[in-house]
Amino acid sequence: MFIVGFLARRLAQGAVIVFLVSFLIFTLLRVIPGDPVRLMAGGMAPDELIEQIAADMGLRDPIPVQFARYMGGVMRGDLGQSFVRPASGAAVGGAQFDDATRAERARVLSLIAETAPMTVQLALLSMVFALLIATPIGVAGGLYPGRWPDKLALYLGSLFVSLPNFWLGIVLVLLLSVNLRLLPAIGYQGFAWTILPAIVLAIEIAPFLIRTLTVSVAQIMRENFIAAATVRGLGRGRIVVAHALKNAAVPLLNLLGVQFSMLLGGVLVIEFIFDYPGLGLLTINAVLQRDFPLIQGIAIVTSAAFVLINIAVDLAATAIDPRLDY
Amino acid sequence: MAILDADIPAAADDGARRSIARRIAAGAWASTEFKVGLFVFTALLLAALIYPEVSSLDPTRMNVRGRNTPPVFVGEGWSWAHPLGTDQLGRDMLLRSLVGLRYSLLIGVSTVILMLFVGSIVGLFAGYRGGLTDTVLMRITDAQLSIPMIILAIAILGVSRPTIPAIILVLGLSGWPVYARVMRSVVMAERKKEYVRGARVLGASDGRIMFRLILPLALPPIAFVAVLDVARMMIFESVLGFLGLGVQPPTPTFGNIIADGRKFLINAWWIATLPGVFLFVTLGSLNLMGAALERSRNRVYGGLS
């Protein structure tokens, strides 16, 4: 019964957040200068034609009217059609405008559905790498506060967080792909193409995991139940793994929820550098082409993902530590 | 802090009675990493401020004959005139990196000040007023927190013209929610304390309590750790430059130098990589200082590291 109430409350709050996000993005896109119709129709199109197309597409209606129409579509599961992308093949620039092809423009929902799994794959692999890097360093730092493992965690954390992701990506491509020919880098033709971007992303996330682990492990090791476990005759390894790590997992999970947007930001840049066909690359192209429906669709999907991940994080945290109450 | 300091004679130097801000600063100063960070950062700052002024070179003047000169001790044809080499148009890389560092620091610092300002005000009002104000402000904060900042930034800068004030505004306005949350939780704890009740009994207005009593106590711990965010914002600025949405060429910034240099990665690897080393060292020094300050703050508040 608890779980039903919890889910209902959080989903309702989440719906409000997603609504606010879509309203914010929708308004911002229309308030700031930059006319998508000009981009679609091309620089040579006469002004009357531009006005006519814009009016046909409903882009000259008042913003609340446009928003209501858009949200009506979203409620029915229709995120609209891309302004510029045809249903098949690559995006076309606005060299000339041909109204006959309007019907064949790609649906926003299917564009997102095609690219999202690629991004999820990249994000999950990088989380695995990040945990592999951060767990030994962070736990060691937390077990010996003030001693060299702690210093090492501090210095490595500062080092990793100071590496600009796009620069690291370029340097690793130069070293590992061009010079040593160890890993493929640009584009996507198989799972191997995910590894290098995932490493770069992992190094971007790792410092936050290291810091959280160091602090929480150090805190937990001072608790009474750790001292009591020694008295009960448990070995050190068992205490660290079964008691300290299990409790340190909760702040780590919370971090995942909070830093989700940072992860997405990293994905965006890294997909752009590696030309990795995921949601991030789609977003950047959508922005550069002023593809309003696509930007809105992506904003709605990502904020919904943010809400759902945070709910999942809280549920998982309660499962690990039943004392927590949300 | 001024109110507290005035009452305490300077001689009272025992830990508990010094102001929190001073204890945090002193604790950080005691650590090696803070001194290393400060030293490196000061050196870079001075270089960025002085070298472009005294150098006879111009960061945007091209010299096609001297293009793609490698940095010192690397390859053939290097010279002391261009310690970091030249780019594809013969422009001096050291000078361009230092000018880039100026813009990067300018944008990073102003952005964090803006974030801190907006976040503190929102958090202060939400935490102090509570009730409906709190609910409304915090829902807005949550909504903004759930849009990835970089998507918001490129969405706005992609469709409008990226000038320096626009970049500062966009980054600052998309980064404040975290500060608002921290500020709110601190203020909510402070609000219930004795001295606030006392001030209210004495007839202090809400504004006076918020800005003269609570803010000076709550702000320094947050502001110190904001050093870490200066580094983060400098990365964001260079990412924007890299995507072509930052400060526009010919003004050199780390982002657009690296984006340009990427095309010549095979023939002239230093164009894309050396400015990154520069940026990395700067960020490293800032992060070391920030990490030392953060640890010191945690020690002051938690009693232990």
Side-chain angles (χ1 to χ4, degrees):
Chain A
M1 231 26 250
F2 155 75
I3 200 93
V4 176
F6 169 81
L7 277 180
R9 189 160 49 87
R10 290 296 297 269
L11 284 174
Q13 286 178 358
V16 174
I17 289 178
V18 173
F19 180 80
L20 279 177
V21 167
S22 36
F23 182 69
L24 206 69
I25 287 275
F26 195 91
T27 318
L28 268 177
L29 286 175
R30 279 155 183 80
V31 169
I32 45 186
D35 192 352
V37 182
R38 173 59 70 184
L39 226 75
M40 288 161 61
M44 304 299 280
D47 282 349
E48 304 88 70
L49 180 64
I50 298 232
E51 282 307 313
Q52 194 205 327
I53 296 165
D56 284 351
M57 292 171 68
L59 283 172
R60 293 291 182 267
D61 295 344
I63 291 173
V65 174
Q66 291 187 45
F67 184 65
R69 194 163 47 211
Y70 177 69
M71 283 317 274
V74 172
M75 291 300 164
R76 292 192 301 271
D78 177 16
L79 291 179
Q81 288 177 328
S82 162
F83 277 173
V84 282
R85 279 165 186 266
S88 58
V92 282
Q96 60 200 117
F97 188 75
D98 184 6
D99 208 29
T101 62
R102 268 284 299 153
E104 289 161 27
R105 288 180 198 277
R107 308 209 63 78
V108 168
L109 201 58
S110 57
L111 279 174
I112 295 176
E114 278 163 27
T115 49
M118 299 293 295
T119 298
V120 171
Q121 177 184 330
L122 174 62
L124 287 181
L125 189 65
S126 70
M127 286 307 286
V128 172
F129 285 155
L131 282 173
L132 285 178
I133 300 171
T135 315
I137 301 172
V139 172
L143 288 179
Y144 305 100
R147 307 248 299 276
W148 70 264
D150 187 29
K151 291 276 174 202
L152 182 76
L154 175 71
Y155 282 111
L156 276 181
S158 297
L159 180 92
F160 287 159
V161 85
S162 308
L163 287 167
N165 50 14
F166 64 100
W167 177 74
L168 184 68
I170 292 173
V171 171
L172 286 184
V173 167
L174 187 64
L175 288 178
L176 297 181
S177 304
V178 178
N179 288 348
L180 299 175
R181 301 186 180 283
L182 284 178
L183 285 170
I186 307 298
Y188 186 83
Q189 285 150 44
F191 185 72
W193 274 259
T194 318
I195 297 174
L196 202 52
I199 292 176
V200 177
L201 198 52
I203 289 181
E204 194 184 351
I205 311 166
F208 299 93
L209 302 184
I210 292 175
R211 205 173 57 183
T212 311
L213 269 174
T214 313
V215 171
S216 54
V217 168
Q219 211 167 30
I220 289 159
M221 288 309 279
R222 289 199 303 270
E223 297 277 347
N224 285 334
F225 66 83
I226 297 289
T230 323
V231 176
R232 277 160 56 208
L234 298 181
R236 176 121 173 120
R238 172 103 203 251
I239 295 175
V240 170
V241 175
H243 290 70
L245 273 189
K246 191 178 169 193
N247 281 287
V250 174
L252 211 57
L253 269 171
N254 285 332
L255 181 75
L256 177 70
V258 175
Q259 295 290 357
F260 172 74
S261 65
M262 193 199 73
L263 185 70
L264 258 174
V267 164
L268 207 83
V269 177
I270 284 160
E271 285 185 359
F272 178 73
I273 298 167
F274 288 96
D275 202 21
Y276 184 90
L279 209 50
L281 194 61
L282 189 70
T283 312
I284 293 193
N285 287 332
V287 169
L288 295 181
Q289 294 165 337
R290 288 168 182 67
D291 199 344
F292 288 1
L294 194 49
I295 302 175
Q296 285 154 206
I298 291 169
I300 289 182
V301 168
T302 49
S303 60
F306 174 84
V307 166
L308 291 178
I309 283 182
N310 272 297
I311 295 177
V313 160
D314 286 347
L315 279 179
T318 345
I320 294 174
D321 190 345
R323 289 169 302 175
L324 293 174
D325 180 29
Y326 287 102
Chain B
M1 286 293 93
I3 305 166
L4 289 174
D5 285 344
D7 300 338
I8 302 166
D13 209 358
D14 66 294
R17 289 172 77 183
R18 275 187 298 163
S19 73
I20 288 170
R22 286 221 213 122
R23 279 163 64 197
I24 294 174
W29 178 249
S31 63
T32 329
E33 52 265 20
F34 186 82
K35 284 179 206 151
V36 171
L38 188 66
F39 178 75
V40 174
F41 182 72
T42 314
L44 283 167
L45 186 66
L46 288 178
L49 288 179
I50 298 169
Y51 186 74
E53 299 302 325
V54 299
S55 170
S56 55
L57 301 166
D58 182 333
T60 55
R61 217 200 60 200
M62 304 167 203
N63 171 15
V64 180
R65 242 187 326 160
R67 71 177 195 274
N68 291 349
T69 313
V72 285
F73 302 128
V74 179
E76 295 163 21
W78 58 269
S79 82
W80 282 112
H82 304 291
L84 294 186
T86 58
D87 69 1
Q88 71 280 5
L89 297 172
R91 297 172 294 193
D92 183 52
M93 290 298 295
L94 177 63
L95 197 58
R96 283 173 70 75
S97 298
L98 286 173
V99 173
L101 184 59
R102 279 184 177 183
Y103 283 101
S104 188
L105 276 172
L106 172 74
I107 293 174
V109 172
S110 341
T111 303
V112 169
I113 292 173
L114 182 65
M115 274 160 63
L116 204 54
F117 181 76
V118 177
S120 300
I121 298 290
V122 171
L124 191 60
F125 274 90
Y128 188 79
R129 287 277 162 78
L132 188 63
T133 319
D134 185 32
T135 314
V136 171
L137 285 177
M138 281 301 117
R139 283 294 87 78
I140 296 174
T141 310
D142 285 347
Q144 182 151 13
L145 209 56
S146 71
I147 315 177
M149 176 167 161
I150 189 116
I151 293 188
L152 193 66
I154 66 168
I156 297 174
L157 292 175
V159 286
S160 64
R161 217 164 64 85
T163 57
I164 293 178
I167 294 168
I168 294 172
L169 209 63
V170 166
L171 287 182
L173 290 184
S174 48
W176 59 267
V178 181
Y179 287 102
R181 278 194 159 182
V182 176
M183 191 55 146
R184 170 175 172 265
S185 62
V186 174
V187 172
M188 281 173 81
E190 291 293 327
R191 185 179 61 167
K192 299 191 189 88
K193 288 194 180 157
E194 203 84 321
Y195 72 95
V196 174
R197 291 225 307 270
R200 202 173 293 150
V201 170
L202 288 173
S205 66
D206 279 354
R208 185 179 165 82
I209 295 174
M210 279 158 70
F211 290 97
R212 295 300 298 272
L213 294 178
I214 296 181
L215 195 62
L217 270 181
L219 194 58
I222 300 174
F224 275 133
V225 179
V227 172
L228 290 171
D229 265 339
V230 173
R232 217 160 56 86
M233 287 305 127
M234 285 172 68
I235 293 191
F236 266 124
E237 187 270 332
S238 54
V239 165
L240 288 177
F242 184 76
L243 297 176
L245 303 172
V247 180
Q248 295 297 304
T251 307
T253 64
F254 287 124
N256 65 36
I257 300 174
I258 294 174
D260 272 354
R262 195 160 77 121
K263 298 165 204 149
F264 309 95
L265 201 55
I266 310 289
N267 319 337
W269 54 266
W270 55 89
I271 302 175
T273 50
L274 285 186
V277 174
F278 236 96
L279 180 58
F280 167 64
V281 173
T282 315
L283 296 173
S285 66
L286 275 172
N287 279 319
L288 277 180
M289 284 195 282
L293 282 167
E294 190 184 30
R295 287 192 161 205
S296 172
R297 178 192 68 171
N298 292 349
R299 260 199 307 279
V300 168
Y301 278 90
L304 283 151
S305 63

